[in-house]
């Protein structure tokens, strides 16, 4: 009689073992996850720092299968709406401000307010919380922000006899005159990428009219036929008429325009500090950076300081893994690493101050700004108006005599979009 009992006990034990093994397998399967992330980038250095960050996340979370797609930024802008409305990745990188609000108001981004409270982001990202919010809820996890200003070649300034960085508009115009006399085109601009022209509009408007007016214009509350808007274009026209920009600027995108600086054919470029990470080592010692000159000293000085951010699409399939990735990235150490690789400043207030000289200058410019920080032309207004506005800028640069026609058309567009 004992033998059958033993067999029974063995059978029961085997059954429990099988059940335990199955339970363990299912537990491990439940723990395993997937993270689909789409990253926009410009240049090899930007891709490399994102790749390094993803590699470290894989090491910290070996149970998560990370699938990353790297897309050039210009193509990314076109493809993002389709992703968000159909089969969405779990993480996208994008921009704060109106760019974020455009999708948040349409219910295409996940509410991250709980993550802000849980991870202490209210403190570490206090300066960018407003730009990350829509109707008092946060839909973005800030990563970096960056300064805009004038990059220039120190050696070309010296060759042209320019004593110092121009701080006022007369000094800037004088520097352009001296550069031309030395056979150097003063300014490179990548007009084929319309957003680079928007940088010129932003700074001329901020310097002439101030950030309060600028934001009303961005919100569709000011007619484009307003005399203050026309003054922006007439000031811009002076530079074009004086041949201060490279010829045929609408033929060049950013990648094609930068070599004018690297080859010493042009001395300056208005751009965000994110491009500095891609400067050739042989040229980088000659590159420096200064604040866009003051035009009217009575206008409080404002700057463009766009915030880059990460988002979880509302239709994402692996939101737990996505939140784990955000918690991993949004640390002072990773903020500093991304900032260095992206040529930017960490949005995390606990990150160490940057070591890069140009980033230090950008940090000082933004930290000392009294007149406000704008997000950038196509991030501060609705997408449709921004797209039409930048087309108008390209039309203006193509034929600067068409100021009135351009502004009249933009005003008609404003009335249609904002129904005013």
């Amino acid at each position: 009689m004992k033998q059958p009992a033993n067999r029974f006990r063995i059978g029961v034990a085997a059954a429990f073992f099988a059940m335990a093994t199955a339970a363990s397998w299912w537990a491990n399967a439940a723990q395993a996850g997937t993270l689909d992330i789409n990253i926009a980038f410009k240049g090899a250095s930007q891709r490399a720092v994102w790749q390094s960050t993803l590699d470290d996340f894989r090491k910290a979370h070996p149970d998560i299968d990370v699938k990353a797609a790297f897309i050039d930024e210009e193509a990314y802008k076109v493809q993002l709406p389709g992703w968000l409305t159909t089969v969405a990745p779990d993480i996208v990188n994008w921009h704060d401000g109106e760019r974020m609000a455009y999708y948040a108001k349409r219910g295409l981004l996940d509410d991250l307010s709980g993550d802000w409270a849980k991870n202490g982001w209210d403190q570490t990202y206090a300066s960018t919380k407003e730009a990350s919010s829509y109707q008092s809820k946060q839909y973005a996890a800030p990563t970096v922000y960056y300064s805009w200003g004038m990059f220039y070649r120190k050696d070309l300034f010296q060759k042209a006899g320019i004593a110092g960085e121009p701080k006022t508009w007369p000094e800037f115009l004088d520097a352009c005159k001296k550069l031309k006399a030395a056979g150097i085109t003063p300014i490179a601009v990548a007009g084929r990428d319309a957003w680079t022209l928007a940088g010129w509009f932003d700074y001329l408007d901020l310097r002439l009219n101030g950030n309060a007016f600028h934001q009303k214009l961005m919100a569709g509350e000011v007619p484009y036929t307003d005399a203050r808007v026309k003054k922006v274009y007439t000031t811009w026209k002076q530079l074009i008429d004086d041949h201060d920009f490279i010829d045929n600027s609408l033929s060049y995108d950013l990648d094609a325009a930068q070599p004018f600086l690297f080859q010493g054919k042009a001395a300056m470029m208005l751009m965000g500090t994110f491009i500095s990470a891609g400067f050739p080592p042989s040229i980088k010692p000659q590159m420096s950076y200064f604040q866009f000159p003051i035009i009217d000293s009575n206008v409080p000085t404002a700057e463009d300081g766009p915030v880059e951010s990460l988002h979880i699409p509302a239709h994402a399939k692996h939101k737990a893994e996505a939140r784990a990735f955000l918690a991993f990235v949004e640390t002072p150490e990773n903020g500093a690493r991304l900032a260095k690789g992206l040529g930017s400043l960490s949005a995390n207030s606990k990150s160490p101050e940057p070591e890069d000289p140009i980033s230090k200058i950008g940090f000082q410019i933004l930290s000392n700004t009294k007149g406000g920080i704008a997000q950038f032309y196509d991030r501060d207004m609705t997408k449709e108006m921004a797209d039409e506005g930048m087309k108008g800028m390209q039309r203006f640069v193509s034929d600067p005599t068409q100021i009135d026609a351009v502004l009249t058309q933009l005003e008609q567009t404003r009335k249609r979009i904002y129904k005013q």
Side-chain angles (χ1 to χ4, degrees):
M1 295 297 295
K2 290 183 179 179
Q3 189 174 3
N6 287 337
R7 286 177 179 173
F8 176 77
R9 283 194 291 270
I10 292 171
V12 171
F16 275 111
F17 177 78
M19 292 173 61
T21 301
S24 176
W25 185 89
W26 282 109
N28 289 332
Q31 290 174 4
T34 300
L35 179 72
D36 292 310
I37 180 169
N38 287 7
I39 296 290
F41 75 101
K42 276 187 175 297
S45 62
Q46 293 198 7
R47 177 167 181 159
V49 72
W50 277 116
Q51 187 64 64
S52 173
T53 302
L54 291 170
D55 289 344
D56 283 357
F57 178 74
R58 287 187 178 99
K59 294 175 185 175
H61 296 269
D63 56 320
I64 297 178
D65 181 19
V66 180
K67 299 176 181 178
F70 291 92
I71 300 100
D72 176 77
E73 187 169 313
E74 295 308 309
Y76 194 98
K77 293 176 184 178
V78 176
Q79 297 174 34
L80 180 66
W83 299 332
L84 296 182
T85 54
T86 55
V87 181
D90 304 310
I91 293 282
V92 294
N93 66 326
W94 194 230
H95 317 294
D96 266 11
E98 176 59 33
R99 283 278 194 92
M100 174 209 68
Y102 178 86
Y103 294 115
K105 70 176 65 174
R106 288 161 174 79
L108 297 174
L109 298 178
D110 226 34
D111 181 2
L112 302 181
S113 303
D115 299 85
W116 276 72
K118 177 182 176 181
N119 299 323
W121 295 347
D122 289 322
Q123 289 74 43
T124 52
Y125 294 96
S127 63
T128 54
K129 184 175 182 178
E130 181 179 355
S132 302
S133 303
Y134 171 68
Q135 293 187 344
S136 301
K137 294 181 179 180
Q138 290 72 57
Y139 292 88
T143 53
V144 299
Y145 69 116
Y146 53 88
S147 167
W148 271 71
M150 298 299 302
F151 283 94
Y152 76 102
R153 285 279 299 263
K154 293 182 288 186
D155 55 337
L156 298 184
F157 266 42
Q158 186 176 10
K159 178 181 177 182
I162 301 169
E165 298 170 349
K167 299 185 183 305
T168 66
W169 199 239
E171 290 175 357
F172 182 73
L173 296 179
D174 183 63
C176 290
K177 184 177 180 181
K178 289 178 177 176
L179 287 164
K180 286 180 290 187
I184 303 165
T185 301
I187 307 163
V189 64
R192 185 174 176 180
D193 289 333
W195 58 269
T196 68
L197 300 179
W200 278 95
F201 180 89
D202 271 9
Y203 268 96
L204 292 172
D205 192 36
L206 291 170
R207 292 293 183 263
L208 287 166
N209 301 313
N211 191 43
F213 174 84
H214 184 71
Q215 293 305 325
K216 287 182 179 179
L217 181 66
M218 298 297 100
E221 299 172 5
V222 177
Y224 279 80
T225 49
D226 188 289
R228 290 166 292 185
V229 179
K230 185 172 182 178
K231 188 175 181 180
V232 171
Y233 277 89
T234 56
T235 304
W236 195 349
K237 184 175 182 294
Q238 178 186 2
L239 299 177
I240 297 173
D241 290 345
D242 289 346
H243 300 284
D244 290 329
F245 296 107
I246 58 173
D247 293 334
N248 303 315
S249 63
L250 295 177
S251 301
Y252 302 100
D253 61 13
L254 182 57
D255 288 339
Q258 288 187 75
F260 281 88
L261 283 177
F262 304 154
Q263 297 167 11
K265 296 178 180 178
M268 294 182 282
M269 176 183 279
L270 173 62
M271 189 50 60
T273 51
F274 61 86
I275 67 166
S276 63
F279 289 160
S282 60
I283 298 299
K284 198 162 187 175
Q286 294 297 341
M287 298 298 303
S288 195
Y289 183 75
F290 63 88
Q291 184 180 38
F292 194 92
I294 304 301
I295 300 179
D296 185 344
S297 60
N298 294 317
V299 175
T301 304
E303 306 292 336
D304 270 337
V307 180
E308 304 288 326
S309 46
L310 294 170
H311 310 265
I312 300 176
H315 299 316
K317 294 181 180 179
H318 312 106
K319 293 185 179 181
E321 290 82 358
R323 283 181 156 78
F325 181 75
L326 293 185
F328 174 83
V329 171
E330 301 291 315
T331 63
E333 297 75 21
N334 279 321
R337 174 168 62 168
L338 282 173
K340 184 177 181 180
L342 299 175
S344 302
L345 304 167
S346 175
N348 192 310
S349 62
K350 295 184 178 180
S351 293
E353 188 172 325
E355 297 177 0
D356 175 70
I358 287 175
S359 294
K360 279 182 176 289
I361 297 169
F363 176 81
Q364 292 298 326
I365 289 173
L366 290 178
S367 62
N368 292 318
T369 295
K370 306 298 183 185
I373 295 178
Q375 283 301 296
F376 197 71
Y377 183 87
D378 64 345
R379 303 185 186 186
D380 273 329
M381 69 166 73
T382 60
K383 184 180 185 303
E384 186 180 4
M385 189 68 232
D387 288 345
E388 293 302 315
M390 290 187 291
K391 289 177 186 176
M393 293 173 200
Q394 288 180 319
R395 182 182 172 195
F396 159 72
V397 170
S398 176
D399 184 359
T401 65
Q402 296 296 308
I403 291 178
D404 290 330
V406 168
L407 294 180
T408 297
Q409 183 174 350
L410 289 178
E411 175 56 16
Q412 293 171 352
T413 303
R414 182 191 73 91
K415 289 179 177 178
R416 173 177 60 80
I417 293 175
Y418 295 99
K419 297 178 174 57
Q420 294 183 5

